[in-house]
Amino acid sequence: MKLDSKIPAGRLEEKWENYRSKCKLVSPANKRRIDVIVVGSGLAGASAAATLGELGYNVKCFCFQDSPRRAHSIAAQGGINAAKNYQNDGDSIYRLFYDTLKGGDYRSREANVHRLAEASVQIIDQCVAQGVPFAREYGGLLANRSFGGVQVSRTFYARGQTGQQLLLGAYSALSRQIASGSVKMYNRHEMLDVVLIDGKARGIIARNLITGELERHGAHAVVLATGGYSNVFFLSTNAMGSNVTAAWKVHRKGAFFANPCFTQIHPTCIPVTGGYQSKLTLMSESLRNDGRVWVPKKKEDRLKPPHQIPEEDRDYYLERMYPAFGNLVPRDIASRAAKVVCDEGRGVVKSGYAVYLDFSDAIKRLGKSVIASRYGNLFDMYQRIADDNPYETPMKIFPAVHYTMGGLWVDYDLSTNIPGLYAIGEANFSDHGANRLGASALMQGLADGYFVLPVTIAQFLADEIRTPPINTEHEAFKEAESQVGQQLDRLLNIKGNKSVDDYHMALGKIMWDKCGMARNKQGLIQARKEIQALRNEFWQNVYVPGTQNEFNPELEKAGRVADYLELGELMVIDALNREESCGGHFREEFTDNGEALRDDENFNFVSAWEFTGTGNDPILNKEALVYENIKPSTRSYK
Amino acid sequence: MKFTLKVWRQKNAKDTGQFETYNISEVENEMSFLEMMDVLNQQLIKEKKDPVAFDHDCREGICGMCSMVINGHPHGHQKATTTCQLHMRSFKDGDTIVIEPWRAKAFPILRDLAVDRSALDNIIQAGGYVSVNTGSAPEANAVPVPQDMAEKAMDAAECIGCGACVAACKNSSAMLFLSAKVSHLALLPQGQPERKKRVISMMKAHDEAGFGSCTNTGACEAYCPKGISITNIARLNREFLSAALTSEYEL
């Protein structure tokens, strides 16, 4: 199938402006008669639901948590990028666009990324007006810091809790619309399928997680803001409940899944300490502004207390390998470098999988109080988890899965290939290519939700003003509901001998070992077989306690793991197919002096996969990436 | 490490509920409290029994979802720590640990340790926002905000909405939660236009939700995992009084 990205004609800088000036609108009187479902209440979902409500649409918003304020965007620490150039250090919309495209290793769309950079400026205005308490200078103006992969300071922040403050801003806007009646909020509800009528998305089947009841919800359009799928790895920095289910269900109904193998491994996380571990904790990338990453030069020093290793015996490997960017290289590069030095046997914990992040120089230079004011809460968090004082001994860190650049394929309108079905935020694939730069996820979530989707969705809805409210007695709703019910019954009736977590952990290990920081053909072929075998076993031997009609967290998990067992296979297939190294996708066969070797001649495209049945080979649709304004080059941070 | 756990089990809102005792071994001191609960649940699942339902999500102390009263302390005995960030190293091998849900009239129990905290959302919906539509915001640096005011606002804005203040309070008051939001917005220039209306209507929603009044015992501050200060409640009282005396909004 030919994929139409619907990128508007014209000069890059004018595309979005022209689009907005000429696109279709829905009149206020008609908006009142149009229903929109938003699934997810993170930065993208909450901002979209609030804005659509303000515009006058009837919105229903769903989240699986007990309150929309708890979506995982809340855990983002470091900051949000915007091309304000408040620091007068040469920043501009073009530079943010260029950095993001280059950071993504030239695997994203020019037009989408440029629009993102344009919206970034408005996002800060909006958030400040909502009362987001960003960090400020003594004069009362907004402060900035730098983040990886760039040479300007364009990151706005609220201590180490930027995601929390931005989400609470979006949540407050959402709360205002809930109070006004334009948004109806469904907490503790999980979307378990999309309903298509005449090829258009017309509603969802959701399970009330308190009563277990299945509910039908109709709407003229459905927006997924359901986040990423890092938890396919079992251990990741995502919240325990973050899942791919909504995105996977629509993929099964025909929506293409793009670049699933593009996953981000974040370089600075607290290392794994035991087999019981349920999640990994990120230490913000902002720490690399003042922290220096090192391992001992000699293997035999690796378990020595760090203060006993003299300066000349330390290898500050990022500064050595990438002098231009030093400790602030992009995430994929920093993670791979950590893997290299640990594979050489120089890792600094017993397992061999950790490196030091050392603040002693910065503390000497700036004083402890300055460091405490910048990162105090992160240092406290580290101390609580690792039982070690980072003001005195260097942090021990190691890469962990953090974000997924891949996601549902969308066009310029953020519409999937199913009419009326939109995907925003981390749930779509569109803006970060093969690697996301730090502080860009918050930017994208809010750009999509506040400024892009509310405009683009009208292109579809303008032709729906004569469509009456969707009738949930339609055959399609009945069928979808009965299928969801059957799957839940099936899970409960297997009554096998292993828990859901047993399977999730086993899947995670396959994914991390064979489709993680480095991948190769043989491993990927093996991984596919192992996932298929694991999935078959799951459906014969999993044990899910309880019943369908009650509050049953194990049943929720079981459904999510069932979907991960299918997604994992698709990720492996995509990684196998992409015979190049780019961004977070590092194929050991395609390297040049240890650095990733991209193949623009053969792989300058988006892989959009079409579902053909569980375990079958999916169909690959390619969207060629066209660069009209910049010339892809080898990404160098040296 | 080995522990004896006494866990509140309650099938649903209508059930009366009771404590059940479980013995658990193979707990490591690096485990978080919730990872210890995972071990218990895996043990129960292997015995084909119902696992303990509890709320949790981010497990890094920021989402505010986890909510357990541990040996009588909301979020456990460690200061300024959420349940998910409490580690087993702070308990003694062989301890008996009593685990209960948040207990408050405004937080009905859903199952076991999970409660319904929608009442907190209702308070925010009553006015915990600045009424600014998307797209209508002025340039961000147009209004400077003194750094100390921004920092104070941030101190209040750090509230994670977990409800430990309510669980800790003998009156089940949510005043610390409410005062954090009122303070955050009252301290910033952006919050001024709706300042009086906000405090009156949020206070009303607080009372209607079934939360009790504040009698200044300070338990909320002592148990707040984010260290939100009780001085916010003092500010709330000032805000409320001044709004009540000077505004035209109905009480």
Side-chain angles (χ1 to χ4, degrees), chain B residues 1-250:
Chain B
M1 297 173 101
K2 287 193 177 108
F3 296 99
T4 302
L5 305 178
K6 292 188 188 248
V7 184
W8 185 259
R9 301 304 308 261
Q10 182 174 336
K11 204 121 181 80
N12 51 48
K14 288 178 200 139
D15 188 13
T16 47
Q18 73 288 320
F19 282 103
E20 295 277 348
T21 304
Y22 305 100
N23 290 309
I24 177 169
S25 52
E26 289 175 45
V27 175
E28 292 170 41
N29 64 354
E30 281 98 10
M31 280 184 187
S32 69
F33 198 84
L34 297 185
E35 284 166 348
M36 186 276 293
M37 292 300 290
D38 292 342
V39 173
L40 171 66
N41 275 349
Q42 290 301 307
Q43 188 178 310
L44 292 172
I45 291 167
K46 298 277 142 93
E47 293 165 6
K48 312 264 153 148
K49 291 179 183 154
D50 275 346
V52 181
F54 60 90
D55 274 331
H56 64 109
D57 201 23
C58 77
R59 295 203 177 190
E60 50 188 89
I62 193 76
C63 75
M65 189 107 174
C66 61
S67 45
M68 292 180 189
V69 175
I70 301 163
N71 290 337
H73 307 288
H75 288 307
H77 58 282
Q78 202 165 302
K79 208 171 157 43
T81 303
T82 54
T83 302
C84 66
Q85 295 291 287
L86 182 65
H87 283 73
M88 297 316 291
R89 64 174 87 93
S90 67
F91 292 86
K92 278 204 295 288
D93 195 9
D95 274 357
T96 296
I97 306 175
V98 182
I99 308 167
E100 298 167 80
W102 282 177
R103 294 199 190 273
K105 187 174 124 199
F107 292 163
I109 294 176
L110 297 172
R111 179 165 195 166
D112 299 337
L113 305 172
V115 301
D116 181 355
R117 285 170 285 189
S118 318
L120 297 180
D121 284 334
N122 295 343
I123 294 177
I124 300 296
Q125 285 159 21
Y129 45 74
V130 174
S131 297
V132 51
N133 280 356
T134 301
S136 58
E139 151 59 40
N141 258 349
V143 183
V145 180
Q147 197 193 41
D148 54 336
M149 292 307 257
E151 290 297 315
K152 266 193 200 157
M154 182 64 192
D155 288 340
E158 285 188 325
C159 168
I160 58 174
C162 64
C165 46
V166 178
C169 177
K170 63 174 180 164
N171 306 322
S172 297
S173 170
M175 287 281 193
L176 192 65
F177 168 84
L178 166 62
S179 69
K181 184 47 75 183
V182 166
S183 292
H184 160 205
L185 295 174
L187 286 163
L188 294 172
Q190 289 81 10
Q192 299 313 308
E194 294 162 288
R195 188 169 172 176
K196 291 178 183 173
K197 184 179 172 199
R198 175 180 306 118
V199 66
I200 288 174
S201 91
M202 287 180 77
M203 187 74 99
K204 205 168 154 200
H206 170 276
D207 293 352
E208 279 169 7
F211 294 109
S213 299
C214 173
T215 48
N216 285 312
T217 55
C220 51
E221 180 186 63
Y223 284 111
C224 175
K226 294 290 141 179
I228 304 292
S229 165
I230 197 170
T231 55
N232 287 299
I233 298 184
R235 184 181 294 108
L236 170 71
N237 289 332
R238 288 198 302 276
E239 290 288 321
F240 183 73
L241 187 63
S242 109
L245 293 174
T246 62
S247 82
E248 288 163 16
Y249 302 109
E250 217 175 295

Side-chain angles (χ1 to χ4, degrees), chain A residues 71 119 142 156 232 234 250 283 316 336 384 389 500 520 585 591 595:
Chain A
L142 290 155
F156 295 79
V232 70
F234 184 70
V250 304
M283 287 285 107
Y316 295 91
R336 256 187 323 265
R384 217 167 276 137
N389 180 354
V500 174
N520 63 54
H585 172 63
T591 58
E595 298 288 332

Side-chain angles (χ1 to χ4, degrees), chain A residues 145 157 159-160 286 289-290 365-366 369-378:
Chain A
R145 60 185 169 203
Y157 62 100
R159 297 188 187 153
S286 59
N289 270 305
D290 288 307
R365 193 175 67 241
L366 304 163
S369 62
V370 173
I371 295 300
S373 74
R374 284 184 192 168
Y375 314 112
N377 68 316
L378 298 171

Side-chain angles (χ1 to χ4, degrees), chain A residues 43 91 221 252 295 299 423 433 485 491 578 612 624:
Chain A
L43 285 181
D91 202 9
R252 290 182 62 105
V295 290
K299 273 190 223 176
L491 286 166
R578 190 166 282 277
T612 57

